[in-house]
Amino acid sequence: MVYVFSVDCSIRNMNDSAKRSLQRLLRRIPFRMLKTSLDKWERLTAEQRRAIDLTPTKRDLIQEILSLCEENKWTEKHIAELQMIYVAENPDQDMWHTYQLVDPDDDARSVDLIQFKEQFKSHFREVQRNVFVKIRKHTDEAVWIRIAWGEGLSPPNNLRASYVVHHLQTPFVYVSSLSSKHKPLLLQALAFSTRHRGIKDANLSGRKLTALRDLLMRQYQHVFTTKFPSPLKEQNQSPLIEKEQSGPSAKRHRMAIEAFGEGALPAIQTAVYKLETKFKDPTNETMTERDEPFRCAVKFTSTNLLESLRSCASSGIASTPLTPLLSSIPLKGRNYFVITDNAPSACSQMSQTKN
């Protein structure tokens, strides 16, 4: 179902903005994925799909698709559908920021997709009409929302649409390509349509949408215990093996498992620690005597940061037990922290919102 609160322009009388949005989208989709995306779009007839020639250059193929747009009289709404299909199948192209719904109403868990759509639509109609909104349910039951924003009397900008992903009856929402100007309006609409009284920054972001969801939903094998059981001894086990299992290497491995669990971990790629603490170094009186806090940021990056940290702890590269600042990533489900001198422990003082 599509909710449109602006006047559509057909491709036959396509203005420059609409033409650029279609051409840019087609250029963005890799050549090898173009046919699959067009098939899922379901706007081409079976005969038209068979007639598309995939052997020439991509430039020629784009021109052929533009001709079909004129023939089929597709609108901005249809172009938005194709873009949404591509983004849903390839969500790692943009940065995703996570928000958490708080203070649910008594009937929040009973909200279904139809009610959610109606409430979301109603909120936008009341506060801003010049937007282009499409809502659809993905194959993994996630609700996907695409929003193209208009400025003043200008039509919605389909070249820079925002995306929202939400699993109903869960407290987390994932948002990409959202400007600070439109952030309050969208967050209000999400809280209103899910029947919550508030929504806050969850301090978790990254390009791997699936990894963010798996970390927050605990959809991976995690064991966070204070005491990790030793492996069972086999009968007639060699004394050398027993010694190895009870040595420093086994201890480091147990501590790594206690901190991060075992099995595959979500591919979180970054963690940022923002320090706002007093400078402490007896050899540098100038910095130590300053009243204002010392401010800096430390950023960890890896293709899979949690796997890397667990490996460092297990191999002895990092000392064990690991500092709570690192183990808090999976425990608290966030990768952005603010550390100050105002809390009993550094990791307990974390920012609730990001500027």
Side-chain angles (χ1 to χ4, degrees):
M1 183 177 293
V2 179
Y3 299 122
V4 181
F5 314 130
S6 58
V7 178
D8 289 334
C9 299
S10 68
I11 301 297
R12 180 177 294 276
N13 298 313
M14 192 163 49
N15 57 31
D16 291 340
S17 175
K19 185 175 182 179
R20 284 198 306 270
S21 66
L22 179 59
Q23 291 176 326
R24 180 177 177 179
L25 172 60
L26 295 175
R27 287 197 299 265
R28 184 181 179 186
I29 300 176
F31 190 82
R32 66 182 184 281
M33 299 179 61
L34 196 51
K35 185 177 186 306
T36 302
S37 299
L38 292 173
D39 289 343
K40 291 182 178 180
W41 192 23
E42 297 181 347
R43 289 294 174 182
L44 293 168
T45 65
E47 182 179 352
Q48 287 174 331
R49 288 198 300 270
R50 287 193 298 268
I52 291 179
D53 187 3
L54 296 176
T55 57
T57 65
K58 187 174 182 180
R59 182 177 179 180
D60 293 335
L61 180 59
I62 290 175
Q63 292 302 318
E64 183 178 354
I65 295 174
L66 286 173
S67 298
L68 289 174
C69 286
E70 296 182 359
E71 178 182 337
N72 293 349
K73 298 182 181 180
W74 290 328
T75 66
E76 286 275 11
K77 177 180 68 176
H78 303 128
I79 299 172
E81 291 174 358
L82 179 60
Q83 185 188 53
M84 198 169 190
I85 289 171
Y86 173 71
V87 173
E89 294 295 328
N90 303 271
D92 299 345
Q93 303 293 322
D94 296 309
M95 182 66 70
W96 294 89
H97 299 274
T98 307
Y99 297 88
Q100 183 175 1
L101 297 159
V102 296
D103 298 331
D105 293 338
D106 294 338
D107 58 348
R109 295 189 63 84
S110 65
V111 175
D112 58 23
L113 182 59
I114 295 177
Q115 293 170 327
F116 176 83
K117 287 180 177 181
E118 291 175 349
Q119 294 293 324
F120 198 84
K121 171 185 177 181
S122 172
H123 184 81
F124 269 98
R125 280 182 170 171
E126 290 179 1
V127 297
Q128 183 169 339
R129 292 179 176 272
N130 195 20
V131 292
F132 185 104
V133 178
K134 176 175 172 56
I135 302 175
R136 63 174 293 179
K137 201 169 188 178
H138 198 46
T139 53
D140 63 354
E141 299 301 309
V143 177
W144 278 73
I145 308 172
R146 180 188 182 275
I147 307 170
W149 306 88
E151 302 293 342
L153 299 177
S154 62
N157 184 358
N158 283 284
L159 294 177
R160 303 187 65 179
S162 301
Y163 279 88
V164 180
V165 180
H166 174 55
H167 291 260
L168 293 177
Q169 283 78 54
T170 69
F172 302 109
V173 181
Y174 313 92
V175 181
S176 72
S177 304
L178 179 65
S179 68
S180 57
K181 178 180 180 179
H182 299 130
K183 179 178 175 180
L185 176 59
L186 176 59
L187 297 188
Q188 289 171 8
L190 288 169
F192 177 73
S193 56
T194 58
R195 296 179 187 172
H196 286 73
R197 295 180 184 137
I199 185 170
K200 66 179 184 179
D201 194 328
N203 294 313
L204 177 67
S205 62
R207 288 187 175 275
K208 301 284 187 180
L209 176 61
T210 301
L212 303 180
R213 181 201 62 195
D214 290 350
L215 183 67
L216 292 173
M217 302 294 190
R218 293 289 191 265
Q219 295 183 350
Y220 63 99
Q221 190 174 3
H222 56 288
V223 180
F224 303 121
T225 60
T226 56
K227 293 183 179 179
F228 192 82
S230 300
L232 295 175
K233 294 182 180 180
E234 298 181 4
Q235 294 182 351
N236 302 322
Q237 190 171 18
S238 167
L240 294 176
I241 297 177
E242 292 182 17
K243 183 178 179 180
E244 173 65 22
Q245 288 181 342
S246 61
S249 177
K251 183 178 180 181
R252 291 196 303 266
H253 178 70
R254 288 196 299 270
M255 288 185 174
I257 297 301
E258 289 173 13
F260 297 104
E262 57 184 345
L265 290 167
I268 302 299
Q269 297 178 315
T270 63
V272 177
Y273 297 86
K274 186 178 180 182
L275 277 65
E276 297 179 355
T277 61
K278 188 169 179 59
F279 191 88
K280 299 175 182 179
D281 183 358
T283 65
N284 191 333
E285 295 183 1
T286 303
M287 293 294 294
T288 303
E289 293 176 355
R290 294 178 63 179
D291 294 331
E292 62 271 18
F294 177 76
R295 293 181 172 87
C296 72
V298 179
K299 183 176 183 179
F300 293 85
T301 61
S302 173
T303 53
N304 190 324
L305 183 59
L306 297 182
E307 293 273 12
S308 298
L309 292 173
R310 183 173 63 182
S311 177
C312 287
S314 181
S315 63
I317 297 176
S319 59
T320 53
L322 281 173
T323 169
L325 291 171
L326 296 177
S327 58
S328 288
I329 300 173
L331 281 173
K332 298 184 179 295
R334 57 176 59 183
N335 62 353
Y336 181 86
F337 303 90
V338 174
I339 305 168
T340 72
D341 290 324
N342 300 326
S345 60
C347 70
S348 63
Q349 191 70 1
M350 302 171 190
S351 121
Q352 292 301 314
T353 59
K354 273 188 287 190
N355 295 328

